Amino acid sequence: MIVRILGEGQFRVDDDVAAELNQLDTELESAVEHSDEDKFTTALASLLAQVRAQGAPLPADILEASDLILPHEDSSMDEVRKLLTDEGLIPG
Amino acid sequence: MYMKGTAARMGVMKRVSLVFKAKANKALDKMEDPRETLDYSYQRQLELLTKVRRGVADVATSRKRVELQMNQLQQSANKLEDQARKALSMGREDLAREALARKSSAQSQLNDLQAQYAQLQAEEEKLTVASQRLQAKVDAFRTRKETIKATYTAAEAQTRINEAFSGISEEMGDVGMAIQRAEDKTAQMQARAGAIDELMASGALDDLGGHRDDIQSELDMISSGSDVESELARLKGELTASQRKQIEGSGANGGPQAAQAQQPQQAQQAQQPQQAQQAQQPGPYAPPAPQYTPPQQPQQAEQYQPTQAGLPVADLPGLGGEPQDGDG
């Protein structure tokens, strides 16, 4: 599957790696729900590190939508909340 | 399983990607003829490319401004340290303290700017890469657009257009956000840069123009004062030497141990000119030799030397306030 890290680009990731990512993503989501800043920072950093380590960067000229999209590495919890709503940060 | 959770347990990654897809679909739905979407979208891609390139240039401009300020602050810090050193050598610890306080302030601004500089540099790199990536996607889109238009009827084209469109639209959303972030950062930096410019103009971090640099002007005053004074001391010394046939300025640079410890012994033990000469040789303060005349009365040399030695050093700090130097 294809995972995008916002601000960095897309990666092709094996499905079994995606299961691992999902585990971390659950932590990330619960951190956002509980406004737990420390947990949020840790979970996001682990997620991104995992994608970078396990994924292969997708060539820039491949035009495919991603299955999963991850926030910027220096995103705040507030930015992530906005990303999750349609009114959020995505322009146009 | 991981992809098919309920909305409550979908996870951040999936939800974000759905938000992106919803945006793309909304835009697609507005178009009556799907092929029209292709041209319209392509126009917007080109606009975004222009925008991201302008973004790179803007960040670079900000970075250069910060760089310039860093250089100025570094010069200030160096200059203030020189001034502190000079002030200390003139016995003006108060001035040295002031110079060092300003240096520390300049230094902390500098550290702050260094962090900002690194951020801007990172932002510039990110945007540059984003612009290259977008360019590649836009090229791919153009190729695909032509193929779709040439090969398929409007109905057949739909699926392929959707694919191409959602791919490019995600990239555009990403780049759009990157530009926004870069703009926000740049705006913050510019506000800070403006504040530092004001601080520098106020002289609080030392004004490099010099006209407001009170530390330097005081140092100049002292040193021109001390120039006058040392000239005066030299002239006095010459006068005294010719009047009393003494060694001119022999004590100016110190060496009191040699002068004080050995000369009394000479006076007591033997009053021969040769020994008086020897007493001066080991000292580092050897006076201008040409004017030397063998002392006829060693006891008097002893009396005059401390007076002359005391002159330049003792009078230095006090001279700052005296009106010899009219341009303060």
Side-chain angles (χ1 to χ4, degrees), chain B residues 187-238:
Chain B
Q188 283 171 21
M189 307 280 162
Q190 273 167 352
R192 288 200 57 84
I196 287 176
D197 276 345
E198 272 175 39
L199 208 60
M200 288 176 109
S202 77
L205 299 177
D206 178 32
D207 184 6
L208 289 167
H211 54 284
R212 266 185 259 220
D213 188 344
D214 47 339
I215 290 183
Q216 189 58 50
S217 65
E218 195 159 348
L219 279 176
D220 289 347
M221 204 159 79
I222 295 172
S223 86
S224 72
S226 76
D227 284 349
V228 168
E229 208 52 30
S230 62
E231 287 287 280
L232 209 60
R234 189 176 61 79
L235 293 178
K236 275 184 190 167
E238 279 177 13

Side-chain angles (χ1 to χ4, degrees), chain B residues 23-248:
Chain B
K23 283 252 172 199
N25 288 335
K26 221 170 174 177
L28 267 178
D29 287 346
K30 285 184 192 155
M31 302 293 161
E32 301 220 334
D33 178 352
R35 284 181 295 185
E36 192 184 298
T37 320
L38 293 172
D39 291 326
Y40 174 73
S41 175
Y42 186 63
Q43 279 313 310
R44 290 205 48 208
Q45 290 161 33
L46 295 180
E47 284 163 22
L48 187 62
L49 262 179
T50 310
K51 202 174 164 190
V52 71
R53 286 184 190 133
R54 205 165 45 222
V56 173
D58 286 349
V59 177
T61 306
S62 283
R63 178 179 54 76
K64 281 173 197 149
R65 184 176 179 196
V66 169
E67 198 172 358
L68 203 69
Q69 283 191 327
M70 278 164 59
N71 289 341
Q72 287 177 334
L73 281 170
Q74 188 61 61
Q75 280 175 29
S76 281
N78 294 346
K79 188 179 167 194
L80 284 162
E81 189 173 325
D82 283 350
Q83 290 178 336
R85 200 171 285 129
K86 209 175 285 174
L88 211 54
S89 77
M90 290 171 170
R92 288 293 303 269
E93 197 175 324
D94 57 330
L95 264 189
R97 216 174 268 282
E98 173 63 24
L100 290 178
R102 288 189 202 178
K103 188 201 162 194
S104 143
S105 172
Q107 191 64 52
S108 85
Q109 297 287 345
L110 191 59
N111 295 345
D112 207 38
L113 282 185
Q114 267 156 357
Q116 290 181 42
Y117 183 83
Q119 273 190 50
L120 283 176
Q121 212 171 21
E123 215 57 45
E124 192 180 336
E125 271 165 35
K126 273 188 206 166
L127 267 194
T128 305
V129 172
S131 126
Q132 287 160 356
R133 210 169 45 222
L134 181 63
Q135 177 71 66
K137 299 248 189 233
V138 168
D139 290 344
F141 186 90
R142 193 190 58 231
T143 309
R144 209 176 303 179
K145 170 170 87 87
E146 297 311 323
T147 314
I148 292 170
K149 274 182 156 181
T151 325
Y152 300 93
T153 63
E156 288 170 331
Q158 187 68 66
T159 320
R160 282 164 181 84
I161 289 172
N162 284 4
E163 282 170 10
F165 189 79
S166 59
I168 195 77
S169 128
E170 184 183 303
E171 190 67 41
M172 289 169 77
D174 191 351
V175 169
M177 264 191 280
I179 295 172
Q180 189 58 54
R181 289 168 78 87
E183 275 175 6
D184 291 349
K185 284 220 172 93
T186 309
Q188 283 171 21
M189 307 280 162
Q190 273 167 352
R192 288 200 57 84
I196 287 176
D197 276 345
E198 272 175 39
L199 208 60
M200 288 176 109
S202 77
L205 299 177
D206 178 32
D207 184 6
L208 289 167
H211 54 284
R212 266 185 259 220
D213 188 344
D214 47 339
I215 290 183
Q216 189 58 50
S217 65
E218 195 159 348
L219 279 176
D220 289 347
M221 204 159 79
I222 295 172
S223 86
S224 72
S226 76
D227 284 349
V228 168
E229 208 52 30
S230 62
E231 287 287 280
L232 209 60
R234 189 176 61 79
L235 293 178
K236 275 184 190 167
E238 279 177 13
L239 205 63
T240 317
S242 66
Q243 279 176 349
R244 300 183 192 257
K245 303 193 172 179
Q246 282 301 323
I247 305 161
E248 178 267 329

